Amino acid sequence: MHVSAIIAAGGRGLRFGAESPKQLLTLGGRPILERSIEAFMSCDVITDVVVALPPDMLPARPAYLAADRARLEVVAGGARRRDSVAHAFARVADRADLVVIHDAARPLVSDALIRRTVAGAARSGAAVAAVGVQDTVKRADAAGIVTATLPRDELRLAQTPQAFRTQVLRDALALEGDATDEATLVERAGHPVLLVEGDPSNLKITTPADLALAEYLLGRPSGVPRLRIGNGYDLHRLVAGRPLVLGGMTIPFEKGLQGHSDADAICHAVTDAVLGAAGAADIGRHFPDTDPAWQGANSLDLLRRAVAVVTGLGFAVGNVDVVVIAERPTLVPHIDQIRENLAGVLGCDVSCVGVKGKTNEGVDSMGAGESIAVHAVALLMGPGAGTTS
Ligand code: MG
């Protein structure tokens, strides 16, 4: 069976308010139109694809619409949606058994939904993806007064894909008049239209909020968020006879932090924040203080290893913010160097590393100068976040 797909991309997307047509905006780093086309190109029940574009886009078309791409044709769209579809239909009417029409603005269409719609049309002649209505639906007059509450369980919201036997679509497109979808014309032509189960994720991207929601849906195929926050904390005693190491540098002071490693509480707190954001256990698990390997260890190096752990899980560090609670010494002269040390190891720009010193107003062990404590937060970007390709 020869199944031709028509991607209706002829509109200008004026409701979106962007400069370029909304189908050219990027979603997860790729144009919305490219995603919609690829959904059909990669579906093995689809024989070929025709894209109806705004005529001014034809001369400088992007690579994914290249003229020599097998199974893909591009035609100029028309003034109305139905004109665009008619132009595309003219290319395939002689060869297709079934034609499936899809809005370019629905880039999250799944392979299963395309198949379900095509199978429905093969069975019944015309099939439309549709979803149930969650909200109560009111009809109102021009003054906003409700004139009826419609029975929700009888209502469905039509999406695309919409698939038709070629003769059914030919009959429909021969009718006069406009319609917001092809199924409406098919109904007017007197053909029964079967509803198949649509997909709430098959969003029509009409507003910036839709695009944000689509980004979100695209980024969490397994329900895992792409942006991850981690929290770290550390405290070490201040004792005589030790160097004071903080943020990978030795700070002149009469005492130092006590610990198995160099006791760099900044690096320890940041390490825990980074590991925590990835759900990757904590510093004590990765670098146990019972292991002689970490005796006197350079904690900036431990942080580097922790970053390698989360990088291996597909994360990149977005930014880190640190609060150091120390009555003395003042960290101000050293903060820029500490930020640079951390940024170098975290693999982010120094502007993405914040370090602030606080005193504890003489209260508790930190205020009494017996200890230094550090709080840190880290933001990690997971696979797919912020990608441009
Ligand atoms: Mg520590």
Side-chain angles (χ1 to χ4, degrees):
M1 189 168 61
H2 188 122
V3 182
S4 293
I6 292 174
I7 309 293
R12 309 287 334 187
L14 297 178
R15 277 175 293 177
F16 204 92
E19 296 251 316
S20 59
K22 68 180 176 188
Q23 61 269 29
L24 297 187
L25 296 175
T26 58
L27 168 63
R30 292 169 65 201
I32 289 170
L33 175 58
E34 181 183 8
R35 288 188 178 276
S36 296
I37 292 170
E38 292 308 322
F40 284 82
M41 291 292 282
S42 65
C43 180
D44 64 13
V45 301
I46 301 298
T47 314
D48 48 26
V49 176
V50 184
V51 183
L53 281 185
D56 57 339
M57 279 180 58
L58 285 176
R61 64 180 84 163
Y64 60 87
L65 289 170
D68 59 354
R69 239 186 121 180
R71 300 172 52 228
L72 180 71
E73 273 187 79
V74 176
V75 299
R80 302 170 300 173
R81 176 199 170 89
R82 61 164 294 171
D83 301 323
S84 297
V85 168
H87 292 182
F89 181 63
R91 294 291 179 94
V92 299
D94 291 341
R95 60 188 190 229
D97 302 301
L98 282 178
V99 177
V100 53
I101 299 169
H102 188 64
D103 289 329
R106 294 186 188 269
L108 299 184
V109 61
S110 68
D111 193 77
L113 182 54
I114 296 170
R115 290 168 174 279
R116 197 151 63 234
T117 312
V118 168
R123 220 164 48 239
S124 71
V128 171
V131 292
V133 178
Q134 308 298 332
D135 297 323
T136 300
V137 182
K138 309 283 187 188
R139 177 178 287 140
D141 64 18
I145 303 298
V146 172
T147 57
T149 296
L150 305 181
R152 184 170 66 182
D153 51 359
E154 292 178 11
L155 298 175
R156 299 290 182 275
L157 303 176
Q159 305 183 323
T160 67
Q162 303 192 348
F164 310 97
R165 277 191 208 127
T166 302
Q167 187 56 46
V168 169
L169 185 58
R170 187 180 282 118
D171 292 346
L173 291 174
L175 296 180
E176 297 296 326
D178 202 4
T180 51
D181 71 355
E182 285 63 43
T184 304
L185 298 172
V186 169
E187 294 154 34
R188 274 186 216 153
H191 290 283
V193 175
L194 174 71
L195 296 181
V196 299
E197 191 183 346
D199 179 354
S201 299
N202 178 30
L203 289 182
K204 184 171 187 179
I205 298 179
T206 308
T207 67
D210 299 329
L211 186 59
L213 181 55
E215 290 275 5
Y216 180 76
L217 290 169
L218 195 63
R220 41 173 303 175
S222 58
V224 175
R226 288 182 296 165
L227 295 177
R228 306 274 290 262
I229 191 164
N231 179 25
Y233 170 77
D234 198 26
L235 180 147
H236 284 258
R237 285 176 188 278
L238 271 172
V239 296
R242 290 267 299 180
L244 176 59
V245 180
L246 281 173
M249 67 179 297
T250 302
I251 293 172
F253 192 53
E254 71 258 23
K255 294 180 180 176
L257 295 174
Q258 187 176 44
H260 181 71
S261 64
D262 62 9
D264 183 336
I266 290 181
C267 285
H268 294 177
V270 173
T271 297
D272 263 353
V274 166
L275 291 171
D282 68 3
I283 188 169
R285 182 91 71 82
H286 287 275
F287 316 110
D289 60 10
T290 51
D291 184 341
W294 312 119
Q295 176 79 44
N298 175 338
S299 296
L300 204 55
D301 198 45
L302 300 188
L303 177 56
R304 186 178 287 113
R305 290 166 187 263
V307 170
V309 168
V310 301
T311 304
L313 294 171
F315 292 98
V317 177
N319 74 301
V320 164
D321 191 31
V322 177
V323 177
V324 183
I325 304 168
E327 207 69 14
R328 289 176 55 235
T330 175
L331 295 181
V332 171
H334 312 294
I335 279 188
D336 285 344
Q337 184 63 54
I338 292 171
R339 293 172 66 212
E340 271 182 42
N341 292 348
L342 294 175
V345 168
L346 294 167
C348 60
D349 190 82
V350 70
S351 67
C352 295
V353 179
V355 177
K356 303 177 293 287
K358 297 287 286 182
T359 72
N360 220 34
E361 300 285 343
V363 176
D364 294 337
S365 70
M366 294 155 283
E370 296 166 3
S371 68
I372 288 178
V374 181
H375 298 265
V377 289
L379 186 76
L380 298 188
M381 299 176 298
T387 54
T388 54
S389 60

